[in-house]
Amino acid sequence: MTSQAPNSPQGYKTPVGILGVGHFVPEEVVTNQDLTKFVDTTDEWIVGRTGIRARRRARPDQATSDLAVEAARRALQASGTRAEDLDLIIVATMTPDCPMPATASMVQHQLGASKAGGFDLNIACSGFVYALVTGAQFVASGTFQRVLVVGADCMTRLMNWKDRSTCVLFGDGAGAVVLGPVEPGYGIIGVHTGVNGAGGPNLTVKAGGSRLPSWSEGVNPGDYYLQMEGPEVFRFAVSVMGEAAIKALENAGLTSEQVALFIPHQANARIIEASRKRLNLPLERVFSNVEHYGNTSCGSVPIALSEALEQGRIQNGDLVVLVGFGGGLSWASVALRWGGLSNS
Ligand code: ACO
């Protein structure tokens, strides 16, 4: 196919869509009540300011790749894809198992994806949607037929459990999708990405990189933890989430009125509600599970997508919009027409 498919973003030769989705969250549930035992907070404060009631925590022996592999297996099964048929694996994460090798290489090995290439992508909580945009390019160009995109994070590993302004917000989890060719008019029909580095200092993990290596003098234990200017990030998120959705829709020649389900990054129920109002969507057209998992960073959007499908909230032909935002400060959005699965 050489001409651009109808409704595909400019430059797509082959329409590309999601063939299957899966997610995995660790077993341990940490409730707000549990947190009150060691940090000065209340269930009322956390629920009122964030909508979060519980989050999951990985076992000490579980790392990000372990969550990623479980989610990936479920996505492979849902899509009817064999691991050995994967061409590429992209793992979006800001909590890799270690700086090197890439988490994608561990996922490739665990899955037995014998012919797949792989790499990690880090743009904080926006990572999964960025990885979706990136992975889609390989299918859209005709380079690859099957691309596994995983979003996975163990955010509890970055928490300072004495900092009540951050430790109540995050949890661990992973979600994955398999991308492949779909019928014209289906799949990803609009994308948008952005980053504003000027806001980067509002959300950081300072140590462990080349600026402040772990062995350097002057590293404080706190430098290994996630630090955040909450109100600044909140203002950024409220302004960017709805706008990013609108940009992806505009890219597809559509408006928010046509959206069947909006799946935003699950960071805070108040941010989700602000974006719902900006997009003028009724409650039933917005998906939220932040109550159960908190902010799982790169896991957030694919876990939400997976649960939305399980709950029958997405039908063939539905217009679905995914939006991520996070450290960077960064954001990314995708508009997609669900379904159109072909046999290729
Ligand atoms: N329990 C009780 N009180 C608390 C807690 C807590 N867990 N945390 C903060 N407070 C207190 C503060 O100390 C402050 O007290 P003070 O007024 O006496 O100083 C008061 O509550 C208000 O604090 P704020 O930070 O102004 O509260 P705010 O209403 O902004 O809510 C929150 C804080 C929930 C963090 C909010 O700012 C937010 O959600 N920000 C965005 C977070 C986000 O989306 N992050 C995405 C990260 S994505 C990524 O890439 C990692």
Side-chain angles (χ1 to χ4, degrees), residues 239-307:
S239 71
V240 83
M241 191 112 93
E243 297 311 314
I246 288 167
K247 290 246 170 66
L249 286 163
E250 279 174 0
N251 191 229
L254 300 168
T255 66
S256 63
E257 281 159 32
Q258 290 150 294
V259 172
L261 195 65
F262 174 48
I263 304 184
H265 176 40
Q266 305 289 311
N268 182 318
R270 289 191 293 145
I271 297 171
I272 294 170
E273 175 59 9
S275 55
R276 182 188 75 78
K277 287 187 174 147
R278 173 71 185 90
L279 296 171
N280 202 20
L281 290 172
L283 277 174
E284 64 273 15
R285 285 202 256 154
V286 179
F287 189 85
S288 180
N289 58 8
V290 69
E291 180 183 356
H292 306 297
Y293 304 123
N295 181 349
T296 54
S297 186
C298 291
S300 151
V301 169
I303 293 171
L305 174 63
S306 181
E307 290 202 332

Side-chain angles (χ1 to χ4, degrees), residues 41 45 49 124-125 164-165 203 228 230-231 234 267-268 270-271 326-327:
T41 190
W45 191 96
R49 298 291 179 115
C125 299
R164 66 179 183 174
S165 70
L203 192 44
M228 180 171 67
F234 187 89
N268 182 318
R270 289 191 293 145
I271 297 171

Side-chain angles (χ1 to χ4, degrees), residues 2-332:
T2 49
S3 62
Q4 192 188 325
N7 275 343
S8 288
Q10 211 171 16
Y12 276 25
K13 285 196 296 185
T14 303
V16 46
I18 293 174
L19 311 184
V21 187
H23 75 278
F24 177 78
V25 289
E27 222 172 283
E28 188 193 358
V29 178
V30 181
T31 64
N32 292 347
Q33 197 58 39
D34 294 331
L35 295 176
T36 64
K37 290 172 194 155
F38 55 86
V39 68
D40 181 17
T41 190
T42 61
D43 177 57
E44 191 186 14
W45 191 96
I46 302 171
V47 174
R49 298 291 179 115
T50 72
I52 300 166
R53 293 179 189 276
R55 69 287 295 143
R56 300 297 179 99
R57 182 162 51 195
R59 293 190 314 262
D61 65 317
Q62 273 176 323
T64 295
S65 68
D66 300 314
L67 312 189
V69 165
E70 288 303 323
R73 286 200 173 114
R74 294 169 191 196
L76 287 171
Q77 191 177 15
S79 68
T81 305
R82 298 181 315 161
E84 51 268 44
D85 291 332
L86 287 174
D87 299 302
L88 181 68
I89 299 170
I90 308 176
V91 177
T93 186
M94 59 180 283
T95 54
D97 288 23
C98 47
M100 188 182 69
T103 305
S105 69
M106 298 167 200
V107 172
Q108 177 274 332
H109 180 60
Q110 290 297 317
L111 292 178
S114 46
K115 73 167 185 181
F119 60 89
D120 288 4
L121 185 154
N122 177 2
I123 184 76
C125 299
S126 307
F128 175 78
V129 184
Y130 259 91
L132 203 55
V133 174
T134 306
Q137 290 295 325
F138 292 94
V139 180
S141 64
T143 307
F144 294 140
Q145 290 290 304
R146 292 290 182 272
V147 175
L148 174 69
V149 178
V150 188
D153 268 310
C154 284
M155 293 302 286
T156 62
R157 301 283 155 77
L158 296 181
M159 291 302 113
N160 175 356
W161 295 103
K162 292 182 179 149
D163 177 7
R164 66 179 183 174
S165 70
T166 53
C167 76
V168 304
L169 302 175
F170 295 92
D172 302 335
V177 303
V178 176
L179 295 175
V182 290
E183 300 293 343
Y186 289 90
I188 295 175
I189 52 177
V191 301
H192 171 70
T193 58
V195 67
N196 177 4
N202 289 315
L203 192 44
T204 57
V205 178
K206 293 197 171 75
S210 59
R211 180 74 63 193
L212 199 55
S214 49
W215 43 263
S216 59
E217 279 181 29
V219 176
N220 300 311
D223 294 333
Y224 292 107
Y225 297 127
L226 180 141
Q227 296 175 22
M228 180 171 67
E229 298 295 334
E232 287 295 325
V233 177
F234 187 89
R235 272 189 286 278
F236 154 73
V238 165
S239 71
V240 83
M241 191 112 93
E243 297 311 314
I246 288 167
K247 290 246 170 66
L249 286 163
E250 279 174 0
N251 191 229
L254 300 168
T255 66
S256 63
E257 281 159 32
Q258 290 150 294
V259 172
L261 195 65
F262 174 48
I263 304 184
H265 176 40
Q266 305 289 311
N268 182 318
R270 289 191 293 145
I271 297 171
I272 294 170
E273 175 59 9
S275 55
R276 182 188 75 78
K277 287 187 174 147
R278 173 71 185 90
L279 296 171
N280 202 20
L281 290 172
L283 277 174
E284 64 273 15
R285 285 202 256 154
V286 179
F287 189 85
S288 180
N289 58 8
V290 69
E291 180 183 356
H292 306 297
Y293 304 123
N295 181 349
T296 54
S297 186
C298 291
S300 151
V301 169
I303 293 171
L305 174 63
S306 181
E307 290 202 332
L309 284 162
E310 283 175 356
Q311 294 169 21
R313 302 269 304 266
I314 302 174
Q315 308 302 324
N316 272 358
D318 277 355
L319 176 62
V320 178
V321 175
L322 313 175
V323 180
F325 72 84
L329 297 170
S330 61
W331 60 94

